[in-house]
Amino acid sequence: MSTYKELTAQIETLQKQAAHARQSEIADAIADIKEKMKDYGITLADLGLAGGVKKASKAKEPVAAKYRDSESGSTWSGRGKPPRWIAGKDRDLYIIK
């Protein structure tokens, strides 16, 4: 029967072997994929990867105010949760013209 130290040493050795085998298989898979892409003229765009890097999304422009409270001067674009000063009231009274 093996001792705890022997078993942990075996585990460590097997983990190193598994990591090495994984890296080797990944390298082989990448080489195979590159070869097939070259043979068939496949591009990253064909795979939906467009260069492999996601483009930065455009910064959203702020929406112009659509409503104004004449008492406080507060404004609201009409998007999202309505502020207290307009909630439940006729919005036509607050439209900015």
mmCIF file of all heavy atoms in Angstrom, residues 51-81:
data_model
loop_
_atom_site.group_PDB
_atom_site.id
_atom_site.type_symbol
_atom_site.label_atom_id
_atom_site.label_comp_id
_atom_site.label_asym_id
_atom_site.label_seq_id
_atom_site.Cartn_x
_atom_site.Cartn_y
_atom_site.Cartn_z
ATOM 1 N N GLY A 51 -11.123 39.477 -36.719
ATOM 2 C CA GLY A 51 -9.843 39.885 -36.167
ATOM 3 C C GLY A 51 -9.600 39.370 -34.760
ATOM 4 O O GLY A 51 -8.562 39.606 -34.188
ATOM 5 N N GLY A 52 -10.573 38.711 -34.185
ATOM 6 C CA GLY A 52 -10.418 38.142 -32.865
ATOM 7 C C GLY A 52 -10.536 39.140 -31.734
ATOM 8 O O GLY A 52 -10.445 38.788 -30.580
ATOM 9 N N VAL A 53 -10.751 40.409 -32.061
ATOM 10 C CA VAL A 53 -10.842 41.425 -31.027
ATOM 11 C C VAL A 53 -12.195 42.113 -31.149
ATOM 12 O O VAL A 53 -12.600 42.508 -32.230
ATOM 13 C CB VAL A 53 -9.717 42.481 -31.189
ATOM 14 C CG1 VAL A 53 -9.826 43.565 -30.153
ATOM 15 C CG2 VAL A 53 -8.359 41.804 -31.120
ATOM 16 N N LYS A 54 -12.875 42.257 -30.036
ATOM 17 C CA LYS A 54 -14.147 42.951 -30.063
ATOM 18 C C LYS A 54 -13.906 44.441 -30.224
ATOM 19 O O LYS A 54 -12.987 44.998 -29.637
ATOM 20 C CB LYS A 54 -14.925 42.718 -28.768
ATOM 21 C CG LYS A 54 -15.441 41.309 -28.622
ATOM 22 C CD LYS A 54 -16.293 41.191 -27.399
ATOM 23 C CE LYS A 54 -16.865 39.797 -27.261
ATOM 24 N NZ LYS A 54 -17.719 39.693 -26.075
ATOM 25 N N LYS A 55 -14.749 45.052 -31.028
ATOM 26 C CA LYS A 55 -14.652 46.492 -31.214
ATOM 27 C C LYS A 55 -15.265 47.194 -30.015
ATOM 28 O O LYS A 55 -16.225 46.708 -29.430
ATOM 29 C CB LYS A 55 -15.398 46.924 -32.481
ATOM 30 C CG LYS A 55 -14.770 46.407 -33.754
ATOM 31 C CD LYS A 55 -15.548 46.890 -34.954
ATOM 32 C CE LYS A 55 -14.934 46.358 -36.232
ATOM 33 N NZ LYS A 55 -15.702 46.789 -37.408
ATOM 34 N N ALA A 56 -14.691 48.329 -29.688
ATOM 35 C CA ALA A 56 -15.235 49.107 -28.590
ATOM 36 C C ALA A 56 -16.586 49.665 -29.016
ATOM 37 O O ALA A 56 -16.747 50.139 -30.130
ATOM 38 C CB ALA A 56 -14.292 50.245 -28.232
ATOM 39 N N SER A 57 -17.539 49.581 -28.131
ATOM 40 C CA SER A 57 -18.862 50.096 -28.474
ATOM 41 C C SER A 57 -18.842 51.615 -28.429
ATOM 42 O O SER A 57 -18.061 52.228 -27.705
ATOM 43 C CB SER A 57 -19.908 49.551 -27.503
ATOM 44 O OG SER A 57 -19.620 49.975 -26.194
ATOM 45 N N LYS A 58 -19.694 52.194 -29.245
ATOM 46 C CA LYS A 58 -19.773 53.641 -29.295
ATOM 47 C C LYS A 58 -20.354 54.161 -27.989
ATOM 48 O O LYS A 58 -21.255 53.561 -27.413
ATOM 49 C CB LYS A 58 -20.680 54.091 -30.436
ATOM 50 C CG LYS A 58 -20.116 53.837 -31.809
ATOM 51 C CD LYS A 58 -21.060 54.385 -32.855
ATOM 52 C CE LYS A 58 -20.539 54.138 -34.249
ATOM 53 N NZ LYS A 58 -21.459 54.648 -35.271
ATOM 54 N N ALA A 59 -19.846 55.292 -27.565
ATOM 55 C CA ALA A 59 -20.401 55.919 -26.380
ATOM 56 C C ALA A 59 -21.776 56.462 -26.739
ATOM 57 O O ALA A 59 -21.953 57.091 -27.778
ATOM 58 C CB ALA A 59 -19.495 57.043 -25.904
ATOM 59 N N LYS A 60 -22.741 56.202 -25.899
ATOM 60 C CA LYS A 60 -24.089 56.652 -26.179
ATOM 61 C C LYS A 60 -24.196 58.144 -25.896
ATOM 62 O O LYS A 60 -23.725 58.631 -24.879
ATOM 63 C CB LYS A 60 -25.093 55.875 -25.345
ATOM 64 C CG LYS A 60 -25.160 54.414 -25.726
ATOM 65 C CD LYS A 60 -26.225 53.694 -24.962
ATOM 66 C CE LYS A 60 -26.280 52.243 -25.387
ATOM 67 N NZ LYS A 60 -27.311 51.509 -24.686
ATOM 68 N N GLU A 61 -24.819 58.828 -26.823
ATOM 69 C CA GLU A 61 -25.027 60.261 -26.684
ATOM 70 C C GLU A 61 -26.155 60.497 -25.686
ATOM 71 O O GLU A 61 -27.139 59.762 -25.678
ATOM 72 C CB GLU A 61 -25.410 60.865 -28.038
ATOM 73 C CG GLU A 61 -24.419 60.569 -29.133
ATOM 74 C CD GLU A 61 -23.547 61.763 -29.433
ATOM 75 O OE1 GLU A 61 -23.938 62.868 -29.064
ATOM 76 O OE2 GLU A 61 -22.492 61.554 -30.030
ATOM 77 N N PRO A 62 -26.045 61.520 -24.863
ATOM 78 C CA PRO A 62 -27.151 61.804 -23.952
ATOM 79 C C PRO A 62 -28.386 62.240 -24.735
ATOM 80 O O PRO A 62 -28.278 62.884 -25.773
ATOM 81 C CB PRO A 62 -26.624 62.949 -23.082
ATOM 82 C CG PRO A 62 -25.409 63.459 -23.758
ATOM 83 C CD PRO A 62 -24.917 62.412 -24.693
ATOM 84 N N VAL A 63 -29.537 61.871 -24.235
ATOM 85 C CA VAL A 63 -30.793 62.188 -24.892
ATOM 86 C C VAL A 63 -31.243 63.572 -24.434
ATOM 87 O O VAL A 63 -31.155 63.903 -23.251
ATOM 88 C CB VAL A 63 -31.861 61.123 -24.548
ATOM 89 C CG1 VAL A 63 -33.185 61.444 -25.202
ATOM 90 C CG2 VAL A 63 -31.384 59.749 -24.956
ATOM 91 N N ALA A 64 -31.728 64.358 -25.376
ATOM 92 C CA ALA A 64 -32.196 65.706 -25.044
ATOM 93 C C ALA A 64 -33.408 65.635 -24.128
ATOM 94 O O ALA A 64 -34.227 64.719 -24.210
ATOM 95 C CB ALA A 64 -32.548 66.450 -26.324
ATOM 96 N N ALA A 65 -33.526 66.625 -23.259
ATOM 97 C CA ALA A 65 -34.655 66.687 -22.337
ATOM 98 C C ALA A 65 -35.943 66.930 -23.114
ATOM 99 O O ALA A 65 -35.973 67.705 -24.067
ATOM 100 C CB ALA A 65 -34.438 67.791 -21.321
ATOM 101 N N LYS A 66 -36.997 66.251 -22.701
ATOM 102 C CA LYS A 66 -38.282 66.380 -23.363
ATOM 103 C C LYS A 66 -39.309 67.068 -22.454
ATOM 104 O O LYS A 66 -40.243 67.679 -22.922
ATOM 105 C CB LYS A 66 -38.782 64.985 -23.759
ATOM 106 C CG LYS A 66 -40.017 64.973 -24.605
ATOM 107 C CD LYS A 66 -40.323 63.548 -25.060
ATOM 108 C CE LYS A 66 -41.590 63.530 -25.914
ATOM 109 N NZ LYS A 66 -41.926 62.162 -26.315
ATOM 110 N N TYR A 67 -39.071 66.963 -21.140
ATOM 111 C CA TYR A 67 -39.995 67.539 -20.168
ATOM 112 C C TYR A 67 -39.221 68.417 -19.188
ATOM 113 O O TYR A 67 -38.087 68.128 -18.841
ATOM 114 C CB TYR A 67 -40.711 66.437 -19.382
ATOM 115 C CG TYR A 67 -41.451 65.447 -20.258
ATOM 116 C CD1 TYR A 67 -40.892 64.222 -20.594
ATOM 117 C CD2 TYR A 67 -42.708 65.757 -20.750
ATOM 118 C CE1 TYR A 67 -41.568 63.327 -21.398
ATOM 119 C CE2 TYR A 67 -43.402 64.860 -21.559
ATOM 120 C CZ TYR A 67 -42.827 63.644 -21.879
ATOM 121 O OH TYR A 67 -43.492 62.775 -22.681
ATOM 122 N N ARG A 68 -39.879 69.515 -18.719
ATOM 123 C CA ARG A 68 -39.245 70.407 -17.739
ATOM 124 C C ARG A 68 -40.273 70.786 -16.673
ATOM 125 O O ARG A 68 -41.414 71.116 -16.978
ATOM 126 C CB ARG A 68 -38.743 71.674 -18.410
ATOM 127 C CG ARG A 68 -38.062 72.646 -17.444
ATOM 128 C CD ARG A 68 -37.653 73.952 -18.105
ATOM 129 N NE ARG A 68 -36.991 73.749 -19.373
ATOM 130 C CZ ARG A 68 -35.670 73.621 -19.532
ATOM 131 N NH1 ARG A 68 -34.877 73.702 -18.503
ATOM 132 N NH2 ARG A 68 -35.163 73.442 -20.728
ATOM 133 N N ASP A 69 -39.812 70.770 -15.420
ATOM 134 C CA ASP A 69 -40.637 71.219 -14.304
ATOM 135 C C ASP A 69 -40.411 72.715 -14.148
ATOM 136 O O ASP A 69 -39.292 73.151 -13.879
ATOM 137 C CB ASP A 69 -40.251 70.468 -13.029
ATOM 138 C CG ASP A 69 -41.071 70.871 -11.833
ATOM 139 O OD1 ASP A 69 -42.165 71.442 -12.014
ATOM 140 O OD2 ASP A 69 -40.623 70.613 -10.700
ATOM 141 N N SER A 70 -41.465 73.507 -14.315
ATOM 142 C CA SER A 70 -41.317 74.963 -14.256
ATOM 143 C C SER A 70 -40.960 75.452 -12.855
ATOM 144 O O SER A 70 -40.326 76.494 -12.701
ATOM 145 C CB SER A 70 -42.596 75.651 -14.742
ATOM 146 O OG SER A 70 -43.694 75.230 -13.957
ATOM 147 N N GLU A 71 -41.327 74.721 -11.832
ATOM 148 C CA GLU A 71 -41.037 75.149 -10.457
ATOM 149 C C GLU A 71 -39.566 74.946 -10.092
ATOM 150 O O GLU A 71 -38.925 75.841 -9.569
ATOM 151 C CB GLU A 71 -41.925 74.399 -9.472
ATOM 152 C CG GLU A 71 -43.385 74.769 -9.578
ATOM 153 C CD GLU A 71 -44.246 73.972 -8.630
ATOM 154 O OE1 GLU A 71 -43.708 73.410 -7.650
ATOM 155 O OE2 GLU A 71 -45.462 73.908 -8.864
ATOM 156 N N SER A 72 -39.052 73.775 -10.357
ATOM 157 C CA SER A 72 -37.677 73.476 -9.944
ATOM 158 C C SER A 72 -36.664 73.625 -11.081
ATOM 159 O O SER A 72 -35.468 73.685 -10.832
ATOM 160 C CB SER A 72 -37.594 72.053 -9.397
ATOM 161 O OG SER A 72 -37.836 71.112 -10.434
ATOM 162 N N GLY A 73 -37.142 73.626 -12.309
ATOM 163 C CA GLY A 73 -36.247 73.698 -13.460
ATOM 164 C C GLY A 73 -35.663 72.344 -13.836
ATOM 165 O O GLY A 73 -34.845 72.239 -14.742
ATOM 166 N N SER A 74 -36.076 71.298 -13.139
ATOM 167 C CA SER A 74 -35.592 69.947 -13.435
ATOM 168 C C SER A 74 -36.107 69.488 -14.787
ATOM 169 O O SER A 74 -37.200 69.861 -15.210
ATOM 170 C CB SER A 74 -36.060 68.964 -12.362
ATOM 171 O OG SER A 74 -35.572 69.335 -11.100
ATOM 172 N N THR A 75 -35.314 68.663 -15.466
ATOM 173 C CA THR A 75 -35.714 68.136 -16.761
ATOM 174 C C THR A 75 -35.685 66.615 -16.739
ATOM 175 O O THR A 75 -35.036 66.004 -15.884
ATOM 176 C CB THR A 75 -34.786 68.638 -17.878
ATOM 177 O OG1 THR A 75 -33.457 68.220 -17.600
ATOM 178 C CG2 THR A 75 -34.861 70.144 -18.020
ATOM 179 N N TRP A 76 -36.380 66.043 -17.730
ATOM 180 C CA TRP A 76 -36.425 64.590 -17.879
ATOM 181 C C TRP A 76 -36.524 64.270 -19.354
ATOM 182 O O TRP A 76 -37.242 64.940 -20.101
ATOM 183 C CB TRP A 76 -37.616 64.023 -17.114
ATOM 184 C CG TRP A 76 -37.775 62.535 -17.189
ATOM 185 C CD1 TRP A 76 -36.834 61.587 -16.943
ATOM 186 C CD2 TRP A 76 -38.964 61.831 -17.527
ATOM 187 N NE1 TRP A 76 -37.351 60.333 -17.101
ATOM 188 C CE2 TRP A 76 -38.678 60.456 -17.461
ATOM 189 C CE3 TRP A 76 -40.240 62.226 -17.883
ATOM 190 C CZ2 TRP A 76 -39.601 59.473 -17.738
ATOM 191 C CZ3 TRP A 76 -41.181 61.241 -18.158
ATOM 192 C CH2 TRP A 76 -40.862 59.873 -18.078
ATOM 193 N N SER A 77 -35.788 63.263 -19.807
ATOM 194 C CA SER A 77 -35.747 62.903 -21.223
ATOM 195 C C SER A 77 -36.953 62.085 -21.659
ATOM 196 O O SER A 77 -37.185 61.905 -22.848
ATOM 197 C CB SER A 77 -34.478 62.113 -21.526
ATOM 198 O OG SER A 77 -34.535 60.852 -20.865
ATOM 199 N N GLY A 78 -37.696 61.558 -20.707
ATOM 200 C CA GLY A 78 -38.817 60.688 -21.054
ATOM 201 C C GLY A 78 -38.430 59.226 -21.051
ATOM 202 O O GLY A 78 -39.236 58.354 -21.333
ATOM 203 N N ARG A 79 -37.184 58.956 -20.726
ATOM 204 C CA ARG A 79 -36.708 57.574 -20.668
ATOM 205 C C ARG A 79 -36.469 57.183 -19.222
ATOM 206 O O ARG A 79 -36.060 57.990 -18.404
ATOM 207 C CB ARG A 79 -35.401 57.427 -21.446
ATOM 208 C CG ARG A 79 -35.602 57.629 -22.923
ATOM 209 C CD ARG A 79 -34.345 57.307 -23.656
ATOM 210 N NE ARG A 79 -34.530 57.464 -25.091
ATOM 211 C CZ ARG A 79 -33.603 57.232 -25.972
ATOM 212 N NH1 ARG A 79 -32.410 56.827 -25.592
ATOM 213 N NH2 ARG A 79 -33.854 57.398 -27.251
ATOM 214 N N GLY A 80 -36.699 55.933 -18.946
ATOM 215 C CA GLY A 80 -36.468 55.427 -17.595
ATOM 216 C C GLY A 80 -37.621 55.777 -16.671
ATOM 217 O O GLY A 80 -38.683 56.225 -17.088
ATOM 218 N N LYS A 81 -37.382 55.599 -15.385
ATOM 219 C CA LYS A 81 -38.401 55.848 -14.382
ATOM 220 C C LYS A 81 -38.662 57.351 -14.291
ATOM 221 O O LYS A 81 -37.730 58.141 -14.159
ATOM 222 C CB LYS A 81 -37.930 55.306 -13.037
ATOM 223 C CG LYS A 81 -38.947 55.401 -11.948
ATOM 224 C CD LYS A 81 -38.435 54.781 -10.667
ATOM 225 C CE LYS A 81 -39.475 54.926 -9.575
ATOM 226 N NZ LYS A 81 -38.978 54.376 -8.316
#
